[in-house]
Amino acid sequence: LLCPVDLQDTDSLTLKFKFNPKLGIDNPVLSLAEDHDPYDPWSLARPRFCLLSKEEGKSFGFHLQQELGRAGHVVCRVDPGTSAQRQGLREGDRILAVNNDVVEHEDYAVVVRRIRASSPRVLLTVLARHAHDVARAQLGEDAHLCPTLGPGVRPRLCHIVKDEGGFGFSVTHGNQGPFWLVLSTGGAAERAGVPPGARLLEVNGVSVEKFTHNQLTRKLWQSGQQVTLLVAGPEVEEQCRQLGLPLAAPLAEGWALPTKPRCLHLEKGPQGFGFLLREEKGLDGRPGQFLWEVDPGLPAKKAGMQAGDRLVAVAGESVEGLGHEETVSRIQAQGSCVSLTVVDPEADRFFSMVRLSPLLFLENTEAPASPQGKDPSLEDTSVPSVPLGSRQCFLYPGPGGSYGFRLSCVASGPRLFISQVTPGGSAARAGLQVGDVILEVNGYLVGGQNDLERLQQLPEAEPPLCLKLAARSLRGLEAWIPPGAAEVRKKKQMGL
């Protein structure tokens, strides 16, 4: 176990400030830039995002352990000269999420499985030990501490096949990236799922964010008749900006991909499963486990196994990097019923090119659409007794002490709502939006006579500030404000 850290050491990292009701708290806030110093004290006091890439023949470069008697997964060692060290991962960091999936309260084996399954690239959300201990002491063990993207809001990996109109997009002109795409109506890119106004992130697994326009043109020309793009639509780009999340490939969902992994379910027969597992070098020159001698009429063939398939997972757990004997042991441990995830040579080449694990694309989950495409928040503007769609946000003040938002209060309906969000501020990065209704503040229900008095005491509280919110459209918000309440709303405002 790691040595305990004295919580008094965090005093120097927790800056306090005095609340001025006349001026509000719209002081400048810290902006999480991509080139932030990972060892800066303010950076360590809030969740950080580490995008790790596994180099050939190497690991991600860190070791994980679970502390006895408490939830959480701790980085216990970071190897020098590795991706983990270069991305600012530190000993003692807590892993909060893997590729936008919150894992803090999951079993240790599940977390390890998720990280391995994401190879060769993984996005970790982490929090320094001192900040984690303070947050847990204030909020309890069950509260989520990390920001995540909403359902269906992900970058897209889109495979485009050229037609008579070309790829169906043009690129915004500029000497150097970033680049945005302009789509041809009904063109190949639009059909492949590229959203309008998408930002171009990668071409065939290579980042083009720092490419010149000539380099990008050459890269696209070299792609021939088909190309795979990693893109982010405006909604994704804005939400990632607000949360401080990088537009990372491991977050992507697949759209119109030319191939995908296959999950085979085999039940052992009298003559066995009917295949031979052999270790040999794959397309990238690294050892892998390949399936051969698939016997006709036996369970493997009936399940869809093909000679030359590469085995990538057993019972959903990645076998990348495992030796032949250990892989065989894992298959045998499943007994007479085995679940194998495999890729054929075409899929193997594709996922190797885009530098993403095929296990990330076993299923494509999308947010369910509302009936007739309508926004449910616009259907009924009456005031619900309990607003729907509540969520939690955790805010950390910037160096000047600002949380970056203002509140307004009305006499009836939902009493407190967000009336202003400072662009680039802590509130914006946490996903707060104008019109959000405050349900709870640091565990206290909002709706009593002493709300403003309690809020005025919040600047003296130790961060993070925990808000429970309910989203509401601006049209719905106006319906909550009764006639004549405009003056009350103007008078009862405060900044945070």
Side-chain angles (χ1 to χ4, degrees), residues 169-446:
F169 67 85
S170 58
V171 180
T172 56
H173 245 313
N175 293 330
Q176 192 168 354
F179 302 101
W180 283 264
L181 303 181
V182 179
L183 305 184
S184 302
T185 303
E190 186 177 80
R191 296 196 306 271
V194 177
R199 178 173 172 176
L200 180 59
L201 306 174
E202 294 184 3
V203 175
N204 293 338
V206 177
S207 173
V208 298
E209 291 281 270
K210 297 183 179 180
F211 270 31
T212 64
H213 193 275
N214 287 338
Q215 288 174 323
L216 176 60
T217 301
R218 189 180 307 114
K219 182 70 175 175
L220 291 171
W221 178 81
Q222 292 172 344
S223 298
Q225 296 299 308
Q226 49 189 339
V227 66
T228 303
L229 305 182
L230 179 68
V231 298
E235 181 185 4
V236 178
E237 189 176 359
E238 175 62 18
Q239 191 168 138
C240 283
R241 186 193 66 80
Q242 291 179 352
L243 298 177
L245 266 167
L247 292 165
L251 298 177
E253 56 185 1
W255 283 68
L257 298 185
T259 184
K260 59 183 179 180
R262 312 189 320 273
C263 192
L264 311 179
H265 301 283
L266 286 68
E267 186 172 349
K268 196 172 186 178
Q271 296 177 283
F273 291 116
F275 70 91
L276 178 67
L277 184 70
R278 183 188 303 160
E279 181 176 292
E280 54 189 56
K281 287 187 178 181
L283 298 172
D284 55 4
R286 292 183 295 173
Q289 307 301 320
F290 290 83
L291 306 168
W292 296 102
E293 299 184 21
V294 182
D295 297 328
L298 294 187
K301 186 68 174 181
K302 291 179 178 179
M305 185 180 293
Q306 301 172 12
D309 283 344
R310 183 168 71 88
L311 180 64
V312 294
V314 176
E317 186 169 356
S318 173
V319 296
E320 183 190 0
L322 298 185
H324 181 73
E325 292 184 1
E326 186 173 356
T327 304
V328 171
S329 296
R330 294 199 177 189
I331 295 175
Q332 292 175 339
Q334 301 302 309
S336 61
C337 294
V338 177
S339 175
L340 305 178
T341 305
V342 302
V343 289
D344 59 29
E346 180 187 358
D348 204 5
R349 281 190 293 268
F350 175 78
F351 290 109
S352 178
M353 177 190 70
V354 298
R355 298 188 301 124
L356 290 170
S357 169
L359 295 176
L360 297 178
F361 301 93
L362 278 174
E363 56 185 14
N364 184 14
T365 56
E366 300 180 24
S370 301
Q372 289 80 45
K374 298 179 180 179
D375 181 355
S377 64
L378 303 182
E379 294 302 302
D380 181 10
T381 56
S382 62
V383 180
S385 57
V386 179
L388 302 177
S390 64
R391 68 188 192 280
Q392 279 188 320
C393 289
F394 301 91
L395 309 184
Y396 296 81
S402 173
Y403 285 106
F405 69 93
R406 283 186 175 275
L407 292 175
S408 289
C409 180
V410 295
S412 64
R415 295 183 56 84
L416 291 173
F417 61 90
I418 306 295
S419 59
Q420 182 179 334
V421 178
T422 304
S426 176
R429 293 195 302 272
L432 268 71
Q433 298 180 0
V434 173
D436 282 346
V437 178
I438 307 294
L439 304 180
E440 294 182 9
V441 179
N442 285 353
Y444 293 100
L445 289 173
V446 170

Side-chain angles (χ1 to χ4, degrees), residues 450-465:
N450 300 323
D451 286 344
L452 290 180
E453 180 181 347
R454 179 173 292 160
L455 289 171
Q456 288 174 351
Q457 300 172 358
L458 289 179
E460 296 299 324
E462 297 285 346
L465 176 65

